[in-house]
């Protein structure tokens, strides 16, 4: 798909296609649709990032709460979005040993209990060992720091999802 095609999209079509670039947050796509036309994919990402950056702390936490636990209950039940399934598979999270599953479930619970939202990391840029290590290390952070890191990781995930949807070759 070319960016020129994106720029011609009606609202509902845009939401259908881009409503999950930030997991389970179609409000983001609904808001940035108003910024069309955009020059290129980077401009679309900038619009998304500006929307996310202007959210209050509570809004950012709400956005983070929409993401699934890594290799968690939704994964085990096959109830994650197609995007999340592909991303977690790319990181090797669909192939954990029983010991690794136990470890990640324990760390996920501790993390969520401490911060009030799931651990967020761009799975496509990491493998399971790095994710487990990062999850354990980030438990030592303060909540404000984890909100900043989580939002930064969401932006990476969003970019990778956008690039899969839209060709970077075109501009207006």
């Amino acid at each position: 798909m070319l960016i020129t095609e994106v720029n011609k999209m009606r609202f509902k079509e845009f939401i259908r296609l881009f409503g999950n670039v930030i997991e389970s947050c179609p409000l983001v796509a609904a808001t940035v649709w108003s910024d069309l036309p955009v020059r290129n994919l980077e401009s679309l990402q900038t619009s998304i990032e500006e929307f996310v950056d202007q959210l209050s702390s509570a809004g950012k936490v709400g956005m983070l709460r929409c993401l699934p636990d890594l290799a968690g209950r939704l994964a085990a039940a096959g109830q994650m979005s197609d995007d999340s399934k592909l991303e977690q598979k790319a990181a090797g999270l669909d192939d954990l040993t029983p010991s690794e599953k136990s470890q990640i479930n324990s760390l996920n619970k501790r993390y969520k209990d401490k911060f009030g939202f799931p651990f967020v990391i761009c799975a496509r840029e990491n493998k399971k060992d790095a994710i487990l290590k990062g999850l354990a290390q980030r438990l030592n952070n303060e909540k404000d720091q984890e909100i900043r890191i989580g939002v930064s990781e969401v932006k990476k995930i969003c970019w990778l999802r956008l690039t899969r949807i839209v060709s970077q070759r075109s501009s207006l």
Side-chain angles (χ1 to χ4, degrees):
M1 169 175 293
L2 301 175
I3 199 73
T4 53
E5 295 171 86
V6 172
N7 285 329
K8 294 176 186 173
M9 285 185 173
R10 296 187 185 273
F11 180 77
K12 288 189 181 210
E13 181 183 11
F14 187 85
I15 301 309
R16 181 188 57 74
L17 193 59
F18 296 100
N20 203 51
V21 292
I22 295 183
E23 188 80 20
S24 301
C25 291
L27 176 63
V28 176
T31 303
V32 302
W33 180 82
S34 300
D35 294 337
L36 297 180
V38 292
R39 179 163 165 61
N40 52 34
L41 188 59
E42 291 81 4
S43 299
L44 183 56
Q45 177 75 7
T46 297
S47 291
I48 292 169
E49 289 184 7
E50 287 173 352
F51 174 79
V52 169
D53 289 342
Q54 63 80 32
L55 291 171
S56 66
S57 181
K60 290 173 182 169
V61 168
M63 177 187 68
L64 294 172
R65 285 183 181 137
C66 290
L67 281 87
D69 288 340
L70 294 172
R73 178 181 46 80
L74 292 177
Q79 296 177 336
M80 289 190 309
S81 71
D82 290 343
D83 292 318
S84 287
K85 286 176 193 172
L86 290 170
E87 291 157 359
Q88 291 197 25
K89 181 179 176 100
L93 295 175
D94 63 332
D95 193 30
L96 296 172
T97 66
S99 174
E100 291 168 331
K101 282 181 189 176
S102 177
Q103 181 183 13
I104 201 165
N105 287 337
S106 173
L107 290 169
N108 275 336
K109 182 179 181 340
R110 288 177 49 211
Y111 186 95
K112 200 179 251 183
D113 287 348
K114 180 174 180 177
F115 299 115
F117 51 86
F119 174 74
V120 180
I121 191 166
C122 183
R124 283 178 54 193
E125 291 185 350
N126 291 277
K127 294 297 179 201
K128 66 181 176 181
D129 292 337
I131 291 169
L132 285 166
K133 182 178 177 184
L135 180 48
Q137 288 175 339
R138 284 175 46 192
L139 273 165
N140 297 314
N141 292 343
E142 297 297 320
K143 185 172 184 173
D144 288 345
Q145 184 179 10
E146 276 307 298
I147 292 170
R148 283 191 305 275
I149 293 169
V151 167
S152 176
E153 294 297 311
V154 164
K155 290 175 181 178
K156 292 176 192 176
I157 295 164
C158 177
W159 173 251
L160 292 171
R161 289 180 178 188
L162 281 175
T163 58
R164 201 174 64 250
I165 296 169
V166 179
S167 169
Q168 291 185 11
R169 298 182 309 236
S170 66
S171 63
L172 288 176

